[in-house]
Amino acid sequence: MVKGKHWSCLQRGGNEYEDWKYDHVPTLPEVLDSFPSIKLSPSFLLSQLPLLKPRYYSISSSPQMYQGEIHVTVAVVQYQTQGRKLHNGVCSSWLNQIKSGCLLPCFVKPAPSFHLPSDSAVPSILVGPGSGIAPFRSFWQQRSIDLKHALTNEPTKFGDITLVFGCRQSQIDNIYKEELQKYQNQGALANVMVAFSREPGKPKQYVQDILKDHQQEVCQAIVDKRGHFYVCGDVSMATGVCNVLKSILQTTGGLNALEVDKYINKMKDENRYHEDIFGVTLRTAEVTRERRQLERKRTLDKR
């Protein structure tokens, strides 16, 4: 519950309100609990609540390998605000708690351009840290099926698939480690490179760093062999990966800045640059700070 003096400050808005909102990130029930003097009828409250938006998850299984099934790879969201209140993600927490056999309300949203190249002979580079690895699981499963099919039918040439994955620690969230090893041994994956951002005793490494360390191979696959480049994850990461690719095309590919932009746009036009970007961005704190600074400026301007 918010005390009377503090409540008076919050009523005036300005810096005090912005600080309180930023530190606590309150949900509606928490706001009502903090200000018990607010009396709202259930009917009015329900009329003002927005509909819960759907949560989109990439399908992480091949329909040919798991017929009649859909697999998803979900990171369970849980965070603590500066007000020390623990918050849980609505959908991910619910999925984490339901029992086997429960009916899930869901629908499939097509992604017609996010799939393995129609020409199986060209190479592919897959970049997906964290749960961004999800759609690529269906890729290596499908390539495994295609390889087995080629053994009993007309031989087919397959380009290398390189996976660039990122997580915090090798013993905590290196998901699909055993499965990746299995499919790499089968030849479905040519290379598996993992960046650990919080590995004890080692410097931080991200997927962008792996791309930088393998500039020659990236340039050869994308430029010389006209391969496909895939990115799955949050907006901030995807932007950083694109910037690294542009840098590689300049330093190793010999293109100038204008030519690089044209080449990336050409890749997108030719459906060789693919993105599956999450709606939630890791820049939330940065955006919030900018809003707070703007509110402070407005408050000072009024004085």
Side-chain angles (χ1 to χ4, degrees):
M1 181 183 299
V2 177
K3 302 300 182 181
K5 184 177 179 180
H6 189 38
W7 166 239
S8 299
C9 292
L10 294 179
Q11 278 184 306
R12 294 195 294 268
N15 295 340
E16 291 83 359
Y17 171 74
E18 289 297 323
D19 290 341
W20 174 79
K21 186 174 66 172
Y22 176 79
D23 291 340
H24 293 81
V25 196
T27 62
L28 182 57
E30 291 168 358
V31 171
L32 296 176
D33 184 58
S34 298
F35 305 102
S37 61
I38 299 177
K39 304 298 181 182
L40 298 176
S41 67
S43 59
F44 176 77
L45 185 59
L46 289 174
S47 70
Q48 299 304 304
L49 291 176
L51 293 176
L52 189 63
K53 295 182 179 179
R55 269 59 169 177
Y56 294 106
Y57 297 104
S58 301
I59 295 176
S60 58
S61 58
S62 165
Q64 291 188 28
M65 179 168 288
Y66 294 98
Q67 297 182 18
E69 297 182 15
I70 288 180
H71 297 188
V72 293
T73 303
V74 181
V76 180
V77 177
Q78 189 176 73
Y79 60 97
Q80 194 170 45
T81 66
Q82 294 186 39
R84 312 310 297 171
K85 181 70 176 180
L86 187 66
H87 287 182
N88 298 304
V90 175
C91 187
S92 63
S93 297
W94 178 70
L95 289 173
N96 193 41
Q97 296 171 2
I98 59 175
K99 304 298 182 182
S100 177
C102 288
L103 185 65
L104 301 182
C106 65
F107 61 91
V108 176
K109 180 181 179 182
S113 64
F114 205 90
H115 54 74
L116 284 170
S118 55
D119 181 0
S120 61
V122 299
S124 299
I125 297 177
L126 323 177
V127 183
S131 57
I133 196 176
F136 303 138
R137 183 171 181 256
S138 67
F139 282 29
W140 69 66
Q141 290 177 354
Q142 185 60 45
R143 175 54 60 89
S144 175
I145 291 175
D146 294 340
L147 286 171
K148 292 177 181 178
H149 184 266
L151 291 176
T152 57
N153 294 274
E154 185 177 348
T156 304
K157 185 177 180 180
F158 294 99
D160 288 346
I161 295 180
T162 296
L163 173 68
V164 182
F165 174 60
C167 61
R168 296 175 67 84
Q169 295 183 23
S170 58
Q171 300 302 316
I172 296 180
D173 54 350
N174 188 10
I175 55 178
Y176 301 128
K177 178 181 178 180
E178 291 78 13
E179 184 172 329
L180 288 171
Q181 186 62 57
K182 170 187 173 182
Y183 284 93
Q184 189 173 9
N185 293 339
Q186 289 181 2
L189 290 167
N191 305 289
V192 176
M193 305 177 186
V194 184
F196 301 109
S197 62
R198 300 294 187 276
E199 189 74 357
K202 294 185 178 181
K204 294 180 180 180
Q205 188 181 44
Y206 300 94
V207 290
Q208 295 93 320
D209 299 315
I210 290 183
L211 294 174
K212 292 176 184 177
D213 292 340
H214 295 82
Q215 295 192 34
Q216 194 66 47
E217 295 93 326
V218 171
C219 198
Q220 184 179 31
I222 299 303
V223 179
D224 299 343
K225 297 182 179 180
R226 294 182 54 78
H228 287 233
F229 195 85
Y230 299 81
V231 186
C232 182
D234 74 87
V235 176
S236 180
M237 179 279 303
T239 301
V241 165
C242 186
N243 290 335
V244 168
L245 181 59
K246 289 180 178 180
S247 176
I248 292 174
L249 292 176
Q250 280 189 277
T251 57
T252 306
L255 304 179
N256 60 42
L258 182 60
E259 290 171 333
V260 164
D261 288 336
K262 288 183 177 180
Y263 192 83
I264 295 293
N265 289 332
K266 184 179 179 182
M267 287 184 66
K268 293 179 179 180
D269 291 339
E270 295 174 346
N271 201 27
R272 291 198 297 123
Y273 192 100
H274 314 260
E275 292 180 305
D276 184 359
I277 306 302
F278 298 166
V280 177
T281 168
L282 296 180
R283 295 181 64 251
T284 302
E286 179 183 338
V287 172
T288 304
R289 283 195 297 271
E290 292 176 356
R291 291 179 60 188
R292 291 180 74 195
Q293 292 173 359
L294 179 60
E295 179 60 33
R296 290 179 185 277
K297 184 178 183 302
R298 288 174 177 171
T299 302
L300 292 174
D301 290 342
K302 292 178 181 179
R303 293 176 179 176

